[in-house]
Amino acid sequence: MATPTNAQTPAADARNLSPTERIKQRSDALRGTLVASLENEITGAISEDDTALLKFHGMYQQDDRDRREERAEKKLERLYSFMIRLRLPGGFMTPEQWIATHHIAGEYSTGTIKITTRQTLQLHGLLKSKIKPTIQSFSKIHLDSIAACGDVNRNVVCAAHPMQSAIHEQVHAYAARLSQYMLPKTRAYYEIWLDEEKLTDKQEENDPLYQDRYLPRKFKIALGIPPNNDIDVLANDLALIAIIENDELKGFNIAIGGGLGATHGNPDTYPRLASVIGYLSVADGDEKLFKAAYEIITIQRDYGNRTDRKLARLKYTIDKYGLDWYKQELEKRTGFALEAARPFEFTDRVDYYGWEQNHQGLWYYTPFIESGRILDDERLPLKTALLEIAQTGKANFRFTCNQNLILADIRKKDKASIEKILHKYGIIAHTEAASAIRKNSIACVALPTCGLALAEAQRYLPSLIGKIEPLLGQHGLSEEKIIIRMTGCPNGCGRPYTAEIGLVGTAPGRYNMHLGADHEGTRLNRLYKENLDEATILSELDLLFRLYKKERATGETFGDFALRQRWYKW
Ligand code: SRM
Ligand code: SF4
């Protein structure tokens, strides 16, 4: 384990900074040449440097990968478009905001609204000329995409279901405040997209947290409320785990260094769950909590790897210098020590499908939304149904990290009218008909928009599950809530490494199979077999399900059984 010395401080690293570091530093507080890029009508793209800066404004330049070949044959440039991701701390929207989002999606994007694994929304397929009108429309309903991507603190996620605890709202408020607290100070977003006046005094955007170099890499914060770990809290750089005693929020355990991204063939990269380093009470105020969160980020800012972006997440900084060193440095910067971590237990990681009631008697309906895709298709007019529900003004919209939606805060007297709409469009029948494994599945976006995808995910997992369901049926396992997740590459956007069955794309039609994570999201799975095609995935699962049915202990989950059987490669 390395101990940081002067030779390893950021100044020394400056000699071999990664290209992105230079782009950030030269960017004039994230403005770059974005205005000129937008005005350039010769291309549907923006300049290369600007693509890196655009992320800090919550957008990615992409192209339709299904059409690359055809366009190349016609000697046309790629069909460039943009994805926008909203900043939605805790995943909350009013019905009015949903109605507006519905129309913005229809007018400017592909029309499909995607719920992400970090409980926010993405729209895909925006042409360059539509970015500004989109952002301006969102701004009118008090939504923005600032820092939804980029080397800053991202969307802060929070346990989704208010029936989970009487103090849900209290914990939820922390997500909004932390998100606000960690926002970059630059006014670039307002100038470029919202046509606000240019700052005359640049001192106003002095940013003590991010300075002019921002973080070495993305940073993610999550607030979990035991016993349900629906947000996979330990997959985050900073995990705050609520400690509740006698229905009162006492404080938070603090865990650091979670992150799931890896690169095939690069053993220096790996998924890691966050390590608990202590506890902070909020009984006498939350200044210490905010200070600790802030300084955890400044340490990463100062010591994170700025040479190799593949090794730049907090998890690598921690593993390089050691957890004890990180704790000591934190203590030095905050001026106080963390208390010993308090006991907590996660027992599940689910969305509560169907109707649930909270402690105040309000009702919640969670429909099953496969891979978080909200659209109307021949089987289910989901988008129309949600619009009609929003138009009643009787339900709020809360998004979950399992890519679902909770129609929330419905008063008793309004429940029947919402239920009528759900029935009318077949949403209840669709939710009830979905199998246990399907309801516990996640697939990342992957093709055709994700530039990093090596294989399909959200377009393929639904049909693969259709072939896994009969296997489970044959072995009498249909009711088992096995968590299955698929990603198109090893970056881990669908958190496949915390799934009981994780399928990670390696090439078109090929996946690595990982087995053995637990139900609670406190144990990573391990690689079982590599580069499997569909036929082999199915034959392997057939064999594994047979053994599981025959030899499992009472109540043993598939993940626990896989681990006990040592179904993994060392
Ligand atoms: Fe992700 C990059 C989609 C959650 C780890 N992720 C991407 C990009 C932007 C591809 C790119 O860089 O060009 C994907 C855009 C696809 C598209 O067309 O929309 C993308 N990530 C997603 C989403 C939409 C997946 C989904 O289907 O829901 C999720 C959006 C979350 C959000 O609202 O902010 C999403 N990404 C995650 C998660 C899960 C989580 O945070 O709980 C992870 C693993 C946890 C982690 O961060 O370690 C994740 N995404 C990555 C990585 C690997 C980072 C690393 O440390 O190596 C990349 C690649 C990168 O950053 O270079 C990536
Ligand atoms: Fe794209 Fe890979 Fe993330 Fe899937 S896991 S969205 S393929 S980067």
Side-chain angles (χ1 to χ4, degrees):
M1 196 139 309
T3 306
T5 64
N6 283 342
Q8 288 162 322
T9 58
D13 275 348
R15 284 190 299 271
N16 23 6
L17 289 177
S18 74
T20 312
E21 290 301 319
R22 298 189 192 286
I23 294 171
K24 286 185 275 187
Q25 282 186 19
R26 287 193 310 237
S27 72
D28 183 20
L30 305 180
R31 289 171 179 82
T33 55
L34 275 165
V35 171
S37 271
L38 283 181
E39 283 167 1
N40 181 353
E41 287 175 6
I42 294 167
T43 167
I46 58 175
S47 83
E48 208 180 316
D49 284 8
D50 286 339
T51 60
L53 299 176
L54 191 69
K55 296 178 188 176
F56 292 78
H57 299 252
M59 286 162 280
Y60 281 78
Q61 177 172 297
Q62 305 185 316
D63 72 288
D64 186 342
R65 294 182 57 185
D66 285 348
R67 300 188 58 188
R68 267 189 198 174
E69 228 169 279
E70 165 211 325
R71 308 264 309 173
E73 273 168 20
K74 292 183 184 155
K75 305 222 175 327
L76 292 170
E77 78 169 5
R78 288 179 178 179
L79 189 54
Y80 290 110
S81 68
F82 296 82
M83 173 269 273
I84 184 162
R85 183 183 288 166
L86 290 179
R87 181 175 69 93
L88 219 57
F92 179 85
M93 251 191 193
T94 62
E96 295 74 26
Q97 288 174 323
W98 179 265
I99 294 168
T101 302
H102 175 107
H103 294 306
I104 294 167
E107 200 165 338
Y108 300 125
S109 79
T110 59
T112 301
I113 302 172
K114 161 84 182 175
I115 307 172
T116 75
T117 52
R118 292 188 71 74
Q119 69 184 168
T120 185
L121 301 179
Q122 283 185 184
L123 303 182
H124 291 90
L126 276 74
L127 296 178
K128 192 165 76 170
S129 59
K130 303 295 179 202
I131 300 178
K132 233 169 136 167
T134 302
I135 293 185
Q136 296 188 346
S137 305
F138 276 126
S139 180
K140 285 190 189 130
I141 48 164
H142 311 292
L143 292 176
D144 65 64
S145 61
I146 304 173
C149 325
D151 296 344
V152 280
N153 175 54
R154 303 280 187 95
N155 203 36
V156 179
V157 300
C158 179
H161 208 301
M163 67 72 89
Q164 204 176 313
S165 111
I167 47 125
H168 178 274
E169 288 310 320
Q170 214 183 328
V171 179
H172 207 268
Y174 277 100
R177 286 177 55 211
L178 280 163
S179 171
Q180 195 63 33
Y181 196 60
M182 306 303 177
L183 276 182
K185 298 278 180 282
T186 169
R187 301 291 301 168
Y189 184 91
Y190 301 93
E191 278 177 24
I192 298 171
W193 312 109
L194 300 176
D195 295 330
E196 288 190 8
E197 259 183 54
K198 286 199 173 62
L199 278 183
T200 41
D201 180 7
K202 286 281 168 85
Q203 291 298 326
E204 281 179 39
E205 51 182 13
N206 255 359
D207 199 329
L209 176 59
Y210 296 117
Q211 303 172 345
D212 65 348
R213 52 194 177 139
Y214 300 87
L215 300 181
R217 209 57 165 88
K218 61 178 80 168
F219 193 93
K220 297 183 175 177
I221 302 181
L223 295 125
I225 308 179
N228 190 3
N229 187 16
D230 57 326
I231 58 169
D232 258 318
V233 72
L234 298 176
N236 288 269
D237 296 273
L238 170 56
L240 299 173
I241 301 157
I243 302 296
I244 299 161
E245 289 163 16
N246 304 323
D247 275 347
E248 238 183 86
L249 178 66
K250 296 289 177 192
F252 291 90
N253 273 351
I254 295 178
I256 56 173
L260 299 183
T263 304
H264 290 312
N266 181 346
D268 292 338
T269 64
Y270 46 83
R272 182 189 193 284
L273 292 182
S275 317
V276 178
I277 55 168
Y279 166 83
L280 276 178
S281 164
V282 291
D284 302 319
D286 47 32
E287 299 78 24
K288 281 189 172 176
L289 184 75
F290 278 76
K291 176 82 177 153
Y294 186 93
E295 297 299 356
I296 285 167
I297 298 181
T298 66
I299 302 172
Q300 160 66 356
R301 178 197 66 203
D302 295 345
Y303 287 95
N305 188 325
R306 287 180 186 265
T307 305
D308 183 350
R309 287 182 64 78
K310 291 219 177 294
L311 303 179
R313 289 292 289 274
L314 174 65
K315 60 183 173 180
Y316 301 116
T317 316
I318 290 174
D319 288 346
K320 182 173 178 190
Y321 298 128
L323 211 50
D324 287 342
W325 172 82
Y326 213 98
K327 263 181 86 170
Q328 278 165 23
E329 184 66 20
L330 181 62
E331 201 173 319
K332 209 161 78 191
R333 292 186 184 208
T334 57
F336 57 81
L338 301 182
E339 295 173 40
R342 299 276 174 98
F344 68 96
E345 191 187 17
F346 287 120
T347 55
D348 225 331
R349 201 166 22 140
V350 294
D351 285 346
Y352 305 101
Y353 291 105
W355 285 108
E356 294 283 346
Q357 199 173 17
N358 82 349
H359 58 287
Q360 296 163 318
L362 294 172
W363 284 93
Y364 298 81
Y365 187 83
T366 306
F368 169 56
I369 300 180
E370 195 145 40
S371 309
R373 299 179 77 199
I374 297 179
L375 69 164
D376 286 343
D377 66 19
E378 56 290 348
R379 293 168 305 142
L380 196 71
L382 180 61
K383 204 173 156 203
T384 302
L386 295 180
L387 179 65
E388 198 168 316
I389 288 171
Q391 280 164 341
T392 68
K394 292 171 180 168
N396 286 317
F397 283 58
R398 290 177 190 267
F399 307 105
T400 82
C401 290
N402 288 313
Q403 302 173 316
N404 280 308
L405 158 71
I406 305 170
L407 295 165
D409 315 315
I410 301 165
R411 286 178 297 180
K412 199 172 161 197
K413 68 178 182 58
D414 298 327
K415 184 177 174 236
S417 59
I418 300 292
E419 190 162 53
K420 199 166 157 204
I421 302 172
L422 289 168
H423 270 306
K424 181 168 102 182
Y425 290 102
I427 310 298
I428 291 184
H430 164 79
T431 299
E432 289 175 354
S435 66
I437 190 162
R438 201 176 282 277
K439 279 181 179 152
N440 280 289
S441 67
I442 288 182
C444 74
V445 180
L447 293 162
T449 51
C450 178
L452 306 178
L454 304 168
E456 296 280 353
Q458 72 178 15
R459 293 199 296 195
Y460 171 52
L461 186 63
S463 74
L464 181 68
I465 289 181
K467 294 173 186 168
I468 295 174
E469 284 163 341
L471 294 178
L472 286 164
Q474 282 159 28
H475 297 294
L477 293 169
S478 297
E479 299 308 312
E480 287 303 316
K481 294 177 176 165
I482 297 172
I483 297 173
I484 184 168
R485 295 175 176 180
M486 173 180 276
T487 54
C489 86
N491 280 316
C493 301
R495 296 188 295 274
Y497 309 111
T498 53
E500 292 177 283
I501 303 171
L503 296 166
V504 177
T506 55
R510 300 271 171 175
Y511 298 85
N512 285 351
M513 189 188 285
H514 297 247
L515 298 174
D518 59 6
H519 251 225
E520 300 79 30
T522 58
R523 184 177 74 224
L524 291 173
N525 55 24
R526 300 186 188 189
L527 181 61
Y528 169 63
K529 287 201 173 162
E530 288 173 280
N531 282 319
L532 307 183
D533 62 9
E534 180 178 285
T536 329
I537 291 171
L538 293 173
S539 61
E540 285 292 337
L541 288 179
D542 191 17
L543 178 74
L544 301 177
F545 290 157
R546 180 173 304 133
L547 287 167
Y548 174 53
K549 176 70 182 175
K550 207 165 132 219
E551 294 175 21
R552 70 189 286 199
T554 314
E556 191 171 30
T557 61
F558 185 68
D560 287 353
F561 183 71
L563 185 78
R564 184 160 67 85
Q565 299 298 312
R566 294 176 171 265
W567 283 342
Y568 44 78
K569 284 169 69 149
W570 282 101

